[in-house]
Amino acid sequence: MRVALICTDRPGALQTRLDNRAAHLAYIAETGVVEMAGPFLSPEGQMTGSLVVLEVETLADAEAWAAGDPYARAGLFESVTISEWKKVVG
């Protein structure tokens, strides 16, 4: 199943994102379940959140992945929405 994670950064947490970016990218590579991912941007081009699409067996697997993400462990996110997602185009 595909699952979308929509993550919103805490206000003023850009440095937390930058400090944990390498670990986050390594986690993505190590786990092998991320189909696509990237940051949301403010009008000024500053990273403000993340969209991550996972290919996992269960919603619980997605929740476990999200909890283990170095960004989440560092307290970067103000909110995280986890929803099953159906790819239609692309």
Side-chain angles (χ1 to χ4, degrees):
M1 83 177 0
R2 283 193 177 95
V3 177
L5 281 63
I6 299 173
C7 310
T8 303
D9 292 1
R10 287 183 300 104
L14 179 59
Q15 193 59 51
T16 300
R17 176 177 280 275
L18 296 174
D19 291 346
N20 290 279
R21 187 168 173 79
H24 168 72
L25 294 174
Y27 182 68
I28 287 173
E30 291 165 9
T31 58
V33 297
V34 177
E35 186 172 293
M36 66 180 89
F40 291 114
L41 302 175
S42 71
E44 299 77 32
Q46 185 177 59
M47 294 179 283
T48 61
S50 299
L51 170 64
V52 182
V53 177
L54 305 176
E55 180 68 38
V56 292
E57 292 294 320
T58 67
L59 198 54
D61 291 338
E63 292 167 348
W65 188 94
D69 180 0
Y71 278 169
R73 291 189 355 242
L76 173 62
F77 300 130
E78 179 175 66
S79 67
V80 176
T81 301
I82 301 174
S83 298
E84 188 172 354
W85 180 74
K86 180 180 177 182
K87 182 178 177 182
V88 175
V89 177

